[in-house]
Amino acid sequence: MHSYETRYDVIVVGAGHAGCEAALAAARMGCLTLLLNMSLDGMAVMSCNPSIGGLAKGHLVREIDALGGEMAKNIDATGIQFRVLNTRKGPAVRAGRAQADKQLYRLRMKRVLEQQPNLHVKQGEVTALHLESGELRGVDTRSGIRFLGKTVVLTTGTFMRGLIHIGLINYAGGRAGDLPSLGLSDQLKALGFEVGRLKTGTPARLDGRTIDFSRLEAQYSDDPPVPFSFSTERITMPQVPCYIAYTNQRTHEIIRSGLDRSPLYAGIIEGIGPRYCPSIEDKVVRFPDKERHQTFVEPEGLETVEYYPSGMSTSLPIDIQIAFYRSMVGLEQVEIMRPAYGIEYDYVNPVQLHATLETKLIKNLFHAGQINGTSGYEEAAGQGILAGINAALKVKGREPIMLGRHESYIGVMVDDLVTLGTREPYRMFTSRAEYRLLLREDNADIRLREIGHSVGLVDETTYAGFCRKQGQIRDELERIRATRLSLNPEEKSWCKRHGCADLHKGASYEQLLRRPEIGYQQLQEIDRQAAELPSAVREQVEIQVKYQGYIERQLEQIERVRKQEEARIPSDLDYKAVPGLTSEVREKLERFKPDTLGQAARIQGVTPAAIAIISVMLKGRGEQ
């Protein structure tokens, strides 16, 4: 094995969405970083849906941007349809989603990686971790090169022992057209990691020239499109429509006729698939009374005829795929350019991670993305930036960052994974966040920009702009509390027009904004100063005023549980020596090895009484 002459601070294995963010974070923080990928043409590839964002996922993208990541900027520069979802609901559950030009997205991210100072990008398949006397020293590649590094971040995606299924045919692959990664998961298992098997899938890609779009329902971009990044002023890419199509009873009959050749139902697939994103055959079997299922037929780019039928993933044989697509209105003559397939791959149980994403078994080894059992580009990227930051901080001898459930969706996701583990592909939902009124898309910078700046990912110019925005919000809140109605003729007319005739003289503008029917759009008719404010400032002030009571209540809840969340449990604590714990609780705690009392409290089967016992013991030892 030839040892490469350069010694790196951080080595990132895999250049999917997790690996890209991890490598950029470490390099931008001043660490000499190596990014290894099996193919340099396969970086930031959108293996499945050519889109970024969606419900809860859009929150993750905004948080990555607030920390100083790249995903939001990349989609803003390459997105061809932007929409804000849930606009009729409250701000906590509104989320952005954008279709990407798939190839432009990949190529722009590749360019950013290649031009990043401190970052070396190389092609190579990692087959093993290199350890000396049990300590991590680097990685070995199939080509016989050993790369030495102080820390390693594994972001292997679906490549570890990847197996592709199309009907009863299967073959090894990390995704269609790519080879699998072999050897690494066997070594991880030998080192004591719990290696499991998961399954996911992707729909066919359709030839847009053979689709009758006139018979489908068009869905257009918002006008103007709303960017993801707090740094993007406006979207300049051309915007194109998506289309809505539906399955029917004939479609379902064809799907049922092929179930005997479905690897999912024939028992060939061992891995557990995503419960919240089932294959089309799963939908048909699980919901037999449903007359139709909706699909969004989405363009894969401006310079290609390929279309992606969202929600139609399947591993049925190709003849069944052709038949069921052609049974749908508007798709009667459709040609499949790439068949749908299912894929099985290895992952590592994330309960063996600290909340920093460093593994508990091997120091200086971090895991991020689908290796932790998650599903989705955004979930992967959120873990990637956290792992990259903490790997860099470890090299610098600084304390790691751990994002709490009250701070971010990234924090919710990581806490769910490291305390509960997962036996199926994990997907982010707003319902997973108990403090979701505080964790909105619109305030991700307010929550996380300071952290991004403190670790060196947010530059001074960007940070200065953020500080100006914060000052404008504070000033505006003070101004609307102090500014009051005089009820002159103009204001009386305005009150009558907007159903506020009950307002008395001296009512403040803050009181006006508390009313459901009044927002800045109405207020600026009589308040010229409000009209001059940046829209982002108006949005923050309006939300803070309207939801003040709810926000204060959640802040009180956070404060009540803060001490428990922050109380550290020594890694060497012997639970057998803690009197009063049941055998079941001891077994759970020994297996999960929680870092804090808060994590321990969320482990299924660990009772409040057990938490109280441990808390008293820690206080007695001076640990709290």
Side-chain angles (χ1 to χ4, degrees):
M1 187 70 65
H2 169 70
S3 288
Y4 193 69
E5 66 270 18
T6 305
R7 292 178 177 245
Y8 293 95
D9 294 319
V10 179
I11 297 175
V12 179
V13 179
H17 303 276
C20 290
E21 295 293 349
L24 286 170
R28 287 169 176 171
M29 290 171 65
C31 290
L32 185 58
T33 304
L34 171 65
L35 176 59
L36 284 167
N37 203 50
M38 293 175 70
S39 168
L40 292 187
D41 296 321
M43 299 191 292
V45 167
M46 293 178 143
S47 306
C48 199
N49 199 327
S51 72
I52 294 293
L55 300 180
K57 292 170 176 281
H59 293 69
L60 291 170
V61 180
R62 283 289 189 102
E63 290 177 357
I64 293 162
D65 185 67
L67 287 168
E70 194 64 31
M71 178 174 267
K73 294 183 180 70
N74 213 54
I75 186 61
D76 285 351
T78 60
I80 55 178
Q81 191 197 76
F82 287 76
R83 296 184 67 234
V84 177
L85 311 178
N86 277 352
T87 53
R88 295 181 181 179
K89 296 185 178 180
V93 294
R94 290 176 200 150
R97 185 181 186 274
Q99 290 297 123
D101 184 304
K102 185 174 180 175
Q103 296 304 330
L104 288 182
Y105 186 94
R106 173 182 68 83
L107 289 170
R108 182 190 177 278
M109 187 68 85
K110 184 174 189 284
R111 185 170 67 251
V112 169
L113 291 162
E114 290 172 345
Q115 295 178 354
Q116 175 61 47
N118 298 319
L119 179 58
H120 295 183
V121 178
K122 296 186 184 297
Q123 184 164 295
E125 179 191 346
V126 172
T127 53
L129 301 171
H130 173 57
L131 296 103
E132 295 177 6
S133 303
E135 294 189 7
L136 185 64
R137 290 287 184 260
V139 297
D140 293 339
T141 62
R142 189 169 297 282
S143 56
I145 303 174
R146 172 170 292 163
F147 293 98
L148 301 177
K150 298 174 183 175
T151 59
V152 174
V153 183
L154 291 183
T155 69
T156 53
T158 60
F159 281 76
M160 286 204 305
R161 287 205 311 128
L163 187 66
I164 289 173
H165 296 269
I166 303 175
L168 301 182
I169 298 168
N170 59 67
Y171 59 91
R175 56 177 165 239
D178 290 317
L179 295 171
S181 170
L182 303 174
L184 190 54
S185 61
D186 290 334
Q187 184 195 27
L188 291 172
K189 192 181 296 184
L191 289 170
F193 288 97
E194 297 176 25
V195 177
R197 198 86 169 139
L198 293 178
K199 172 259 177 187
T200 188
T202 188
R205 304 307 193 270
L206 309 178
D207 187 337
R209 296 169 298 182
T210 61
I211 298 173
D212 185 353
F213 291 108
S214 68
R215 302 179 69 194
L216 304 183
E217 178 186 339
Q219 186 180 61
Y220 296 95
S221 179
D222 289 345
D223 186 18
V226 179
F228 272 101
S229 175
F230 292 98
S231 304
T232 303
E233 293 184 4
R234 63 188 182 91
I235 301 300
T236 57
M237 283 286 287
Q239 300 293 287
V240 297
C242 296
Y243 298 87
I244 300 174
Y246 297 92
T247 64
N248 53 55
Q249 287 301 308
R250 175 63 184 146
T251 312
H252 300 173
E253 289 171 12
I254 294 168
I255 289 169
R256 281 190 284 265
S257 74
L259 291 179
D260 61 328
R261 291 186 289 149
S262 162
L264 193 64
Y265 288 92
I268 296 172
I269 290 180
E270 301 170 7
I272 300 170
R275 189 183 354 160
Y276 303 105
C277 188
S279 64
I280 187 61
E281 60 264 40
D282 236 2
K283 292 178 186 176
V284 169
V285 170
R286 285 164 56 184
F287 308 106
D289 298 330
K290 198 168 177 65
E291 294 184 358
R292 65 180 191 176
H293 295 281
Q294 179 178 276
T295 175
F296 290 93
V297 182
E298 303 165 342
E300 294 228 320
L302 298 175
E303 303 296 333
T304 179
V305 298
E306 288 189 78
Y307 276 76
Y308 176 99
S310 178
M312 299 287 282
S313 66
T314 182
S315 52
L316 286 165
I318 188 64
D319 57 305
I320 299 294
Q321 292 185 37
I322 293 169
F324 81 64
Y325 275 116
R326 289 181 178 174
S327 70
M328 297 168 64
V329 172
L331 274 63
E332 292 88 350
Q333 306 299 320
V334 77
E335 292 287 343
I336 289 178
M337 296 180 73
R338 308 186 201 214
Y341 61 88
I343 183 167
E344 288 185 278
Y345 56 95
D346 285 349
Y347 82 108
V348 177
N349 193 335
V351 299
Q352 294 178 295
L353 298 173
H354 297 291
T356 61
L357 296 183
E358 184 178 14
T359 70
K360 294 175 179 177
L361 294 180
I362 305 289
K363 287 183 179 179
N364 302 322
L365 175 65
F366 296 78
H367 290 177
Q370 284 177 289
I371 191 173
N372 291 336
T374 59
S375 172
Y377 311 142
E378 304 82 1
E379 288 90 341
Q383 295 169 70
I385 193 168
L386 181 63
I389 288 171
N390 282 327
L393 291 173
K394 191 86 186 270
V395 169
K396 291 172 177 286
R398 292 174 57 185
E399 286 295 308
I401 65 165
M402 288 178 282
L403 300 175
R405 299 183 70 91
H406 65 286
E407 289 178 297
S408 66
Y409 272 79
I410 296 174
V412 171
M413 170 177 60
V414 170
D415 185 68
D416 283 349
L417 293 170
V418 304
T419 59
L420 304 175
T422 187
R423 297 295 178 189
E424 62 184 25
Y426 176 99
R427 181 178 177 180
M428 196 70 243
F429 294 102
T430 54
S431 59
R432 294 190 189 273
E434 57 270 49
Y435 305 119
R436 56 185 171 272
L437 184 56
L438 301 179
L439 308 183
R440 308 182 306 275
E441 264 198 9
D442 59 80
N443 71 349
D445 59 338
I446 294 172
R447 293 183 278 117
L448 299 175
R449 199 60 114 183
E450 290 282 357
I451 295 174
H453 180 253
S454 70
V455 299
L457 284 184
V458 175
D459 62 66
E460 293 304 327
T461 302
T462 302
Y463 185 66
F466 164 71
C467 291
R468 276 195 305 275
K469 175 183 171 182
Q470 286 281 71
Q472 288 174 316
I473 292 169
R474 284 193 300 269
D475 292 346
E476 177 62 3
L477 283 167
E478 289 177 10
R479 187 187 74 84
I480 62 172
R481 287 175 191 136
T483 309
R484 301 182 178 277
L485 287 173
S486 63
L487 286 185
N488 58 35
E490 182 190 7
E491 290 177 348
K492 282 182 179 178
S493 173
W494 180 88
C495 287
K496 187 176 181 181
R497 196 162 63 249
H498 292 292
C500 302
D502 60 321
L503 279 171
H504 55 82
K505 184 177 179 180
S508 69
Y509 283 1
E510 182 184 41
Q511 289 173 293
L512 288 182
L513 278 180
R514 282 209 187 104
R515 294 185 166 233
E517 68 274 16
I518 302 298
Y520 265 105
Q521 186 176 350
Q522 292 75 32
L523 183 61
Q524 64 191 19
E525 294 171 14
I526 55 169
D527 182 8
R528 307 294 178 261
Q529 239 176 296
E532 296 171 5
L533 285 171
S535 59
V537 173
R538 289 200 302 267
E539 179 184 44
Q540 282 307 305
V541 171
E542 187 171 328
I543 290 172
Q544 288 186 35
V545 168
K546 287 191 183 301
Y547 295 91
Q548 182 182 356
Y550 300 102
I551 290 171
E552 287 176 354
R553 199 173 307 154
Q554 290 210 337
L555 289 171
E556 288 170 6
Q557 291 171 353
I558 290 167
E559 188 56 32
R560 280 200 299 271
V561 301
R562 183 179 60 81
K563 288 184 179 179
Q564 181 170 288
E565 286 296 327
E566 295 177 355
R568 305 288 298 172
I569 299 176
S571 59
D572 59 351
L573 179 63
D574 182 6
Y575 291 102
K576 295 185 181 69
V578 180
L581 298 180
T582 65
S583 299
E584 180 190 0
V585 167
R586 283 199 182 96
E587 183 184 334
K588 295 270 187 181
L589 292 170
E590 287 286 355
R591 179 176 174 233
F592 285 84
K593 294 190 181 303
D595 292 322
T596 66
L597 272 181
Q599 287 182 6
R602 286 186 289 277
I603 297 171
Q604 192 172 6
V606 176
T607 63
I611 296 299
I613 290 168
I614 298 169
S615 178
V616 169
M617 188 214 66
L618 292 177
K619 284 178 183 175
R621 289 175 45 167
E623 302 282 354
Q624 280 194 57

